[in-house]
Amino acid sequence: MIRERSKDPQWPTLVVTGGNLLFEREHLTPGSAATAKIAASGVLQAIQKMGATFAGVGTRDLASGLALLKASHQPPAFSWLSLNLVDHATHQPLFAPMIRLQVGATKIAVLALTDHMDPANEGKEFLILDWRTALPPILAKADQEADFILLLSNYSFSENQEIAKKHGSIDLILQTGHAAGNMGPIPLNKSLLAQTEIRGKYVGILDIDWHGRTAWSEAGQPLPGKGQERPVSTYANQFVPLNQSLAVAPDIEAVVQQTKRQIERLGQGQH
């Protein structure tokens, strides 16, 4: 489905995974850690085969520490993003604070925030800074270099509302916070805030007709205000359920089966 949609040169496509990708919980129990790490590696292989070249770091991605993230952070093939996940000693970002992409004629800056409110396993390896401190300098740089700013946020809805209201230069916030469920785009300030259901149950597809940083309007709806001096950017959103009846993608199925075999061998070795 992703590859089919990516074929049309008139509609350049960006594949995004926001974060909380690897593990189901913030903490792993000793009995489940080895199995969870194998499954997480399989997820990483699969999403890269689907075309994702970056992901935000959510608190659940830190459940086993930094080793898996550091091993898989291999720009430009694949990058982990977080502007506020920093080294405990130096306070320097551990992964990319921002990446720059060209999608069609549009220069896009992608930023990511990791929720600092309830950091998992925070200690000697890393710290998670408050977005109020970490975001402004990176956002100012992104605003100078890009036409469109996409923020992947691991924060809650209320925190993301505050971010959108305080920073009008963020065009789109994709949230991977703490609430489950699909949430259609909500215009806030000059931003859109949206979320796709967790655990691979849906693909969220957001079609954007971009005309610069103006008011947003849903496609087909009356435009806000009168006498617009410039075209209004519009969006159309849909959530596609990933049912078991969907045709199997052979390359992804190969990763799934390989991962299952690794987990089975682990279980046999433990007996």
Side-chain angles (χ1 to χ4, degrees):
M1 181 177 64
I2 292 171
R3 289 166 185 157
E4 187 63 31
R5 289 186 62 88
S6 302
K7 288 179 180 179
D8 188 350
Q10 299 300 315
W11 288 93
T13 303
L14 181 63
V15 180
V16 177
T17 179
N20 277 349
L21 179 70
L22 300 182
F23 302 103
E24 293 186 47
R25 300 175 181 83
E26 280 80 4
H27 300 276
L28 302 180
T29 62
S32 67
T35 298
K37 289 178 184 178
I38 293 173
S41 295
V43 169
L44 271 173
Q45 291 180 57
I47 65 111
Q48 290 180 62
K49 285 183 178 294
M50 289 184 229
T53 59
F54 61 88
V57 180
T59 51
R60 293 181 184 179
D61 298 316
L62 297 166
S64 69
L66 294 177
L68 180 57
L69 277 72
K70 286 183 174 180
S72 54
H73 180 66
Q74 310 237 344
F78 187 82
S79 301
W80 285 105
L81 302 179
S82 178
L83 63 88
N84 63 330
L85 176 66
V86 301
D87 181 87
H88 187 277
T90 66
H91 282 209
Q92 293 300 305
L94 287 164
F95 302 103
M98 173 174 66
I99 59 171
R100 303 161 185 83
L101 301 168
Q102 185 84 23
V103 181
T106 306
K107 295 178 181 177
I108 297 181
V110 185
L111 290 65
L113 284 168
T114 307
D115 186 356
H116 78 282
M117 307 294 281
D118 185 23
N121 301 331
E122 187 175 56
K124 293 182 179 179
E125 275 194 297
F126 61 84
L127 291 173
I128 306 175
L129 305 178
D130 190 322
W131 66 264
R132 296 165 184 82
T133 302
L135 178 59
I138 302 297
L139 187 56
K141 186 176 182 181
D143 197 25
Q144 291 179 343
E145 299 177 0
D147 307 313
F148 187 100
I149 297 176
L150 165 61
L151 175 64
L152 310 177
S153 178
N154 178 223
Y155 279 101
S156 65
F157 178 69
S158 60
E159 291 287 319
N160 290 326
Q161 283 183 303
E162 185 177 346
I163 291 170
K165 290 174 182 177
K166 190 168 184 177
H167 297 289
S169 61
I170 300 174
D171 301 293
L172 174 62
I173 301 175
L174 296 180
Q175 131 179 323
T176 55
H178 311 282
N182 292 319
M183 184 181 76
I186 300 172
L188 288 168
N189 196 0
K190 293 183 179 180
S191 300
L192 282 182
L193 173 59
Q195 173 179 294
T196 302
E197 172 67 285
I198 62 173
R199 308 306 300 166
K201 297 175 183 177
Y202 288 83
V203 168
I205 300 174
L206 183 63
D207 289 313
I208 294 174
D209 188 7
W210 178 246
H211 294 284
R213 193 166 290 139
T214 63
W216 283 101
S217 179
E218 187 173 1
Q221 297 299 313
L223 298 179
K226 296 181 179 180
Q228 292 284 340
E229 296 181 1
R230 55 193 295 190
V232 171
S233 296
T234 61
Y235 65 89
N237 183 79
Q238 60 178 307
F239 297 107
V240 180
L242 298 181
N243 299 320
Q244 294 293 324
S245 60
L246 288 174
V248 171
D251 52 346
I252 306 300
E253 181 64 14
V255 173
V256 172
Q257 295 305 322
Q258 178 189 36
T259 303
K260 286 182 176 180
R261 287 193 295 270
Q262 289 176 328
I263 291 173
E264 288 173 0
R265 286 196 294 269
L266 177 68
Q268 292 167 358
Q270 290 175 343
H271 296 297

